[in-house]
Amino acid sequence: MKKIAAITLLLTMTACCFASEDLSKQATAFYSDNNYQKTMDLILQIPEDKRTAQDWLLLGNVLEDKGEIDNAVFMYQKAIVVDSKCYKAYYNLANNYVNNSQYNMAIANYKKAASINKENPYIFYNMACAYIKTGELKKAKTNLNKAIMYKSDVPEFHYNLAYVYKKLNKPKLAQTYLENFNKLMSSQ
């Protein structure tokens, strides 16, 4: 009798995991189609203790799109609790901190995201922008150079690096990156 109860419990738990996984996949598909309400409805059917970092991240994204920033931040933090290697949650948190002029908090979260995903140029670009806001131009320069190293065809990367070099009183380098910016803009 105990074996039957144990097997039944195991099958129930396995079915729950598969159901949660299926709901997560469906929610991700609906999110990709910009159907945010259906995304949220599906994820909310998953018990909290079965939600993946991706589920929490999607909830955060949906809430952010609805303008519920505090709730979105909470969801990003839940994603990090579930998976401390969820770089997108750190990245989204950092972007929220930038939007609230909390640049040091943003930089700290961009650094965490960059430590997990070392080749994402947008992490370095956004971190550079936060450093510009704090006046730390040498750190901005370093991060803009990393962004360009990973993706050299984004005009804004070059424009901002030209700006930083101008502020650092390096007019020749500023001119070089401004020319790069103009070339990239004319080729689009």
Side-chain angles (χ1 to χ4, degrees), residues 27-40 62 65:
T28 301
F30 279 109
Y31 184 78
S32 297
D33 289 337
N34 298 320
N35 189 336
Y36 302 137
Q37 189 57 52
K38 188 67 175 171
T39 300
M40 196 162 198
V62 169
D65 289 341

Side-chain angles (χ1 to χ4, degrees), residues 14-15 27 40 68 79 111 129 133 144 151 164 186:
T14 304
M40 196 162 198
E68 297 181 34
K111 284 181 178 180
C129 292
K133 292 290 191 179
L144 286 165
K151 189 160 178 62
V164 167
S186 67

Side-chain angles (χ1 to χ4, degrees), residues 124-185:
F124 295 108
Y125 173 72
N126 286 350
M127 190 177 345
C129 292
Y131 275 124
I132 290 169
K133 292 290 191 179
T134 65
E136 297 179 79
L137 297 177
K138 289 182 180 179
K139 290 179 180 179
K141 175 189 72 152
T142 299
N143 282 283
L144 286 165
N145 278 314
K146 285 180 183 178
I148 290 170
M149 179 177 71
Y150 293 118
K151 189 160 178 62
S152 62
D153 63 345
V154 179
E156 292 80 11
F157 295 1
H158 294 269
Y159 184 84
N160 281 310
L161 191 52
Y163 170 82
V164 167
Y165 277 126
K166 181 179 178 188
K167 290 291 190 184
L168 289 171
N169 201 26
K170 305 232 183 227
K172 287 183 182 180
L173 285 169
Q175 186 60 39
T176 298
Y177 283 97
L178 189 57
E179 288 170 8
N180 290 347
F181 167 77
N182 288 327
K183 285 178 194 173
L184 289 168
M185 291 301 291

Side-chain angles (χ1 to χ4, degrees), residues 81-106:
V81 168
V82 171
D83 179 5
S84 64
K85 300 290 185 196
C86 184
Y87 83 91
K88 290 179 182 178
Y90 291 110
Y91 181 77
N92 289 358
L93 276 173
N95 289 339
N96 275 293
Y97 288 129
V98 165
N99 291 337
N100 289 312
S101 301
Q102 296 174 293
Y103 302 114
N104 291 323
M105 292 292 292

